[in-house]
Amino acid sequence: DTEVTQTPKHLVMGMTNKKSLKCEQHMGHRAMYWYKQKAKKPPELMFVYSYEKLSINESVPSRFSPECPNSSLLNLHLHALQPEDSALYLCASSQDRAGSGANVLTFGAGSRLTVL
Amino acid sequence: GEDVEQSLFLSVREGDSSVINCTYTDSSSTYLYWYKQEPGAGLQLLTYIFSNMDMKQDQRLTVLLNKKDKHLSLRIADTQTGDSAIYFCAERSNYQLIWGAGTKLIIKP
């Protein structure tokens, strides 16, 4: 299995809703990432987990809350989002601990989020 | 801060070679990457090159690295309609990737 699976593919939510994005990989990767991508822009790093511990938080607002229940799963909990948070949210994983080796990232197909 | 620059668009005829260029600023970068993103999809790694190499070839893809000029290029031979996508260059700087803005490759019949 060489894939990163993200669910749901599309999500529409109101500003008062609570929802979650999910990510799963079974490649034995020990680093997992959340990126946010706006249309026609490069991805922006949000969070990095290394060995199930949060190692990087790129000053992301607290309305985004990551969780890594185990080495295969990564969640992003969403609460009280704003319309400007609408974007494609990409999950990625890499075999190496963040910062070492080639650290090739394997990306999921993304979850497209629309906040009304 | 560190920066990666790419031109935003490249238009080529089907069957021709495409050359996508990228410049970066961090001279201590260890790895440089090319990712492809098709519409509505995630990013797919095409290839990467270690900074002590100057060329890497993989089927239709050739990566050239000029470390002195901090210039990276991706050549796609015999460009096909399926190559239509946005191509992102990225450099590894410290613990994270610094991304270029992406080059949209447009294929003309």
Side-chain angles (χ1 to χ4, degrees):
Chain A
D1 187 351
T2 58
E3 288 188 343
V4 173
T5 304
Q6 290 188 244
T7 56
K9 289 195 187 317
H10 299 276
L11 178 62
V12 179
M13 61 187 289
M15 289 188 283
T16 58
N17 291 159
K18 280 187 185 180
K19 297 285 185 184
S20 297
L21 304 180
K22 297 186 182 301
C23 175
E24 190 168 0
Q25 58 88 14
H26 295 289
M27 294 178 280
H29 288 177
R30 302 315 300 264
M32 295 186 77
Y33 309 75
W34 280 115
Y35 280 86
K36 173 183 177 180
Q37 187 180 29
K38 298 285 251 183
K40 303 186 194 310
K41 297 290 186 185
E44 300 170 39
L45 183 64
M46 300 175 72
F47 302 103
V48 182
Y49 273 83
S50 180
Y51 290 84
E52 299 159 52
K53 288 187 171 37
L54 183 64
S55 62
I56 296 171
N57 176 342
E58 292 286 353
S59 303
V60 179
S62 60
R63 57 186 185 269
F64 295 91
S65 174
E67 179 196 17
C68 189
N70 61 54
S71 59
S72 300
L73 294 174
L74 185 66
N75 298 322
L76 186 63
H77 303 297
L78 314 170
H79 174 53
L81 294 193
Q82 304 296 310
E84 59 264 29
D85 296 322
S86 298
L88 181 68
Y89 288 84
L90 293 162
C91 174
S93 68
S94 66
Q95 185 167 12
D96 299 321
R97 180 179 57 84
S100 64
N103 207 35
V104 170
L105 269 62
T106 301
F107 282 86
S111 292
R112 187 162 299 283
L113 173 67
T114 303
V115 182
L116 301 176
Chain B
E2 306 306 338
D3 194 24
V4 175
E5 293 194 353
Q6 305 177 239
S7 53
L8 293 182
F9 297 96
L10 176 67
S11 180
V12 298
R13 292 203 178 280
E14 191 175 356
D16 287 352
S17 291
S18 306
V19 180
I20 303 171
N21 295 302
C22 170
T23 57
Y24 60 97
T25 57
D26 185 2
S27 56
S28 65
S29 289
T30 51
Y31 292 91
L32 296 118
Y33 308 80
W34 284 104
Y35 280 86
K36 174 184 179 183
Q37 187 173 34
E38 296 182 27
L43 286 90
Q44 173 195 355
L45 176 74
L46 285 179
T47 187
Y48 65 91
I49 188 166
F50 188 48
S51 58
N52 70 353
M53 298 170 66
D54 51 21
M55 187 179 94
K56 182 177 181 181
Q57 191 154 1
D58 182 3
Q59 299 183 334
R60 291 192 299 125
L61 305 179
T62 303
V63 177
L64 295 178
L65 175 60
N66 182 326
K67 202 171 177 185
K68 175 175 165 290
D69 294 337
K70 300 194 193 72
H71 182 267
L72 182 73
S73 68
L74 174 70
R75 178 176 178 269
I76 305 173
D78 186 24
T79 308
Q80 302 297 309
T81 54
D83 296 322
S84 181
I86 298 177
Y87 291 80
F88 289 98
C89 166
E91 64 165 341
R92 181 153 191 79
S93 180
N94 293 321
Y95 56 81
Q96 62 176 296
L97 296 182
I98 309 298
W99 297 84
T103 299
K104 184 171 183 176
L105 180 61
I106 299 162
I107 317 298
K108 296 181 289 189

